[in-house]
Every structure is written in C-alpha cells, then in structure tokens.
Amino acid sequence: MKKETIRIGYLTIVEVWQPSVQLRFVNRLVNDFNSQLVGGRSLQKNINVLQQLHTSNLGNREWKDVPIETQS
C-alpha cells in the first residue's frame, strides 16, 4: 500500500479594520497632572471620551478612541 503526502501551503489571513458611522461617549476617570495635591499626588477627574465603532472583515468589532486635535 502506497502512502501519499499532501503538503498544504501557509495561509495568511489579513484582518482589515474599517470605521463605521456609530459614535458614543464614554465617561473615563483620568489623572490631572496639572493639579497636584500635597505629597505629590495628582487629582483625578472624569472626562467624556468620544469613541467610534470599527468592524473587521473577520466579523470582529472594537470601539476606538477618536483622536482629539489641539490648536497651538
């Protein structure tokens, strides 16, 4: 009885992310390094962060922060 070996090449699947039109605000607690308390500790404050939903060609979904532009 003869055995045959079948070689299968490597398959590369690339995940491509695309932004959707869905947006949301998320309340996040961050450190305020501009205001410091006695002992070197910093204040914490709540900020609203704008996020956009991204979907991939593999069906994955992820909320990503929208970058904020600052004026100089």
Side-chain angles (χ1 to χ4, degrees), residues 13-20 52-64:
I13 299 174
V14 177
E15 189 169 22
V16 179
W17 290 91
Q18 294 200 357
S20 71
Q52 185 174 24
L53 181 65
H54 288 70
T55 56
S56 77
N57 58 334
L58 302 179
N60 296 324
R61 298 170 49 154
E62 183 177 315
W63 287 97
K64 296 183 181 181

Side-chain angles (χ1 to χ4, degrees), residues 22-65:
Q22 294 183 22
L23 299 172
R24 73 176 183 183
F25 278 104
V26 176
N27 196 334
R28 190 176 290 164
L29 184 65
V30 296
N31 290 328
D32 183 8
F33 293 107
N34 294 330
S35 305
Q36 290 198 352
L37 298 173
V38 176
R41 298 185 62 187
S42 59
L43 292 175
Q44 291 185 332
K45 63 180 180 179
N46 286 319
I47 62 168
N48 283 326
V49 177
L50 182 63
Q51 292 185 333
Q52 185 174 24
L53 181 65
H54 288 70
T55 56
S56 77
N57 58 334
L58 302 179
N60 296 324
R61 298 170 49 154
E62 183 177 315
W63 287 97
K64 296 183 181 181
D65 293 352

